């Protein structure tokens, strides 16, 4: 039996008593998956993992993605997307500006990611306090809290998700090379239902985010824009948020259907932040 301690927020729980570097029994793994579905974000403290162990545990959730930003993956490990401000030999070792707007991973793909598994190797500190927190918003709590008139209005609507919208709007986008033809080919704009059913829990999720959702499909002009603005503001209302304060050795899993997230860039070198992420393949939203 695992010990699971929910946070005081709308989502999130700590799981205690698990060493993820070990080969976990199926019963233990199934309990972790059940907690992941229930709490939407789960985390384990004090983990010591080699890249192979991070990847092996992640693979138990399904096939892993290889990120379109190949230059940001750990050399030799195309499944490990590096999020870091660290520069080595004059070159960034990962993405320096990932997640600086609300989004869910790979929502711009035909089959958005099921979940992401994030490992904190280095956490920036100031006066003994961690910096570089990540905020998570529950898309199920956000959907539930909508007035029934809004639920009816958006029940059958779709929204357009655009990789290039997010790619070029980052704070440090000047540092990003223009998308290559291959990256563009892999990421055409895509329509997804605004109200998405979670493939494992059956719960309804509000599936729009400020980073990548560019417009409501089939609702042009002012009407579409104001509806999207209203939904985006609602989706990240503080009632639905859990704020994670990182510690070195944290291993956190978030659900990309039932949550969205935002990284807080309140640190700078010489304060180093080094995180590694695997991204589990998902299924087409319905
Ligand atoms: C991400 O969106 O994958 C990065 C999140 C973070 O750096 O906290």
């Amino acid at each position: 039996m695992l010990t699971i301690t929910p946070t005081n927020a709308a989502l999130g729980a700590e799981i205690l008593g698990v060493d993820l570097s070990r080969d976990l029994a199926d019963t233990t793994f199934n309990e972790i998956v059940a907690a992941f579905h229930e709490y939407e974000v789960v985390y384990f403290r004090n983990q010591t993992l080699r890249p192979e162990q991070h990847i092996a545990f992640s693979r138990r959730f399904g096939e892993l993605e290889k990120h379109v930003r190949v230059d940001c993956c750990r050399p030799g490990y195309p499944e490990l997307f590096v999020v870091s401000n660290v520069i080595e030999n004059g070159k960034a070792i990962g993405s320096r500006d990932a997640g600086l707007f609300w989004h869910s991973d790979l929502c711009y793909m035909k089959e958005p990611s099921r979940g992401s598994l994030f490992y904190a190797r280095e956490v920036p500190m100031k006066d003994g306090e961690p910096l570089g927190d990540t905020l998570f918003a529950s898309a199920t709590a956000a959907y539930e809290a909508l007035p029934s008139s809004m639920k009816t209005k958006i029940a059958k609507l779709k929204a357009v998700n655009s990789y290039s919208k997010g790619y070029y709007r980052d704070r440090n986008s000047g540092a990003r090379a223009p998308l290559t033809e291959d990256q563009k080919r892999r990421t055409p704009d895509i329509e997804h239902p605004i109200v998405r059913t979670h493939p494992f829990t059956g719960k309804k999720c509000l599936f729009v985010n400020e980073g990548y959702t560019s417009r409501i499909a089939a609702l042009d002009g002012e009407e579409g824009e104001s509806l999207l603005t209203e939904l985006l503001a609602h989706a990240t209302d503080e009632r639905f948020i859990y704020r994670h304060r990182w510690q070195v050795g944290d291993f956190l899993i978030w659900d990309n259907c039932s949550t969205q997230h935002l990284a807080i860039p309140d640190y700078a070198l010489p304060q180093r932040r080094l995180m590694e992420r695997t991204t589990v393949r998902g299924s087409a939203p319905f």
Side-chain angles (χ1 to χ4, degrees), residues 9-271:
L11 71 167
E14 179 176 2
I15 301 182
L16 295 110
V18 181
D19 178 353
L20 296 173
S21 70
R22 292 177 176 265
D23 192 13
L24 300 180
D26 285 344
T27 45
T28 307
F29 180 71
N30 292 341
E31 283 182 70
I32 292 171
V33 173
F36 168 57
H37 288 154
E38 181 170 355
Y39 296 104
E40 304 175 348
V41 166
V42 291
Y43 62 92
F44 309 79
R45 300 273 194 205
N46 302 314
Q47 302 297 316
T48 306
L49 294 177
R50 286 183 282 108
E52 290 77 8
Q53 292 165 324
H54 183 164
I55 291 168
F57 177 68
S58 305
R59 280 217 176 104
R60 295 186 72 168
F61 287 81
E63 198 180 334
L64 301 184
E65 298 281 356
K66 295 182 179 146
H67 203 276
V68 280
R69 296 182 66 195
V70 185
D71 56 316
C72 293
C73 295
R74 183 166 168 151
Y77 300 95
E79 306 88 348
L80 277 186
F81 181 65
V82 178
V83 177
S84 182
N85 65 343
V86 174
I87 312 273
E88 271 171 13
N89 303 321
K91 191 173 172 301
I93 65 166
S95 173
R96 283 185 287 162
D97 55 8
L100 303 184
F101 44 69
W102 283 104
H103 69 288
S104 66
D105 296 334
L106 276 51
C107 63
Y108 46 80
M109 303 293 270
K110 197 167 154 208
E111 298 182 336
S113 162
R114 175 182 177 191
S116 301
L117 297 92
F118 209 60
Y119 182 42
R121 290 194 175 278
E122 294 186 53
V123 175
M125 302 290 290
K126 187 175 177 206
D127 302 329
E129 297 294 329
L131 300 170
D133 296 355
T134 308
L135 272 53
F136 297 91
S138 170
T140 54
Y143 175 77
E144 270 309 307
L146 285 171
S148 51
S149 55
M150 180 61 93
K151 286 182 179 161
T152 307
K153 182 172 179 176
I154 63 176
K156 298 262 180 295
L157 290 179
K158 292 189 168 192
V160 177
N161 289 271
S162 159
Y163 181 62
S164 57
K165 177 187 177 195
Y167 185 86
Y168 288 117
R169 60 163 282 175
D170 273 321
R171 197 179 54 131
N172 296 330
S173 59
R176 289 190 177 193
L179 287 171
T180 63
E181 287 310 311
D182 181 55
Q183 286 171 322
K184 283 191 222 163
R185 190 188 47 74
R186 287 179 64 189
T187 55
D189 284 2
I190 190 94
E191 287 184 14
H192 289 312
I194 292 178
V195 181
R196 185 179 171 188
T197 305
H198 194 284
F200 293 93
T201 66
K203 288 185 185 169
K204 294 210 183 306
C205 308
L206 185 57
F207 198 62
V208 286
N209 63 75
E210 66 148 335
Y212 293 111
T213 309
S214 57
R215 62 187 174 83
I216 309 277
L219 211 54
D220 291 332
E222 169 58 27
E223 191 186 356
E225 274 175 36
S226 71
L227 176 59
L228 183 56
T229 304
E230 185 179 346
L231 292 174
L232 293 177
H234 174 83
T236 55
D237 187 277
E238 63 181 23
R239 285 171 293 162
F240 316 132
I241 289 179
Y242 163 64
R243 181 174 188 132
H244 190 75
R245 303 187 81 204
W246 295 99
Q247 295 177 13
V248 171
D250 279 0
F251 191 91
L252 184 147
I253 316 174
W254 65 74
D255 187 313
N256 282 311
C257 178
S258 59
T259 73
Q260 51 178 295
H261 57 281
L262 167 73
I264 306 294
D266 57 357
Y267 57 91
L269 289 172
Q271 296 158 326

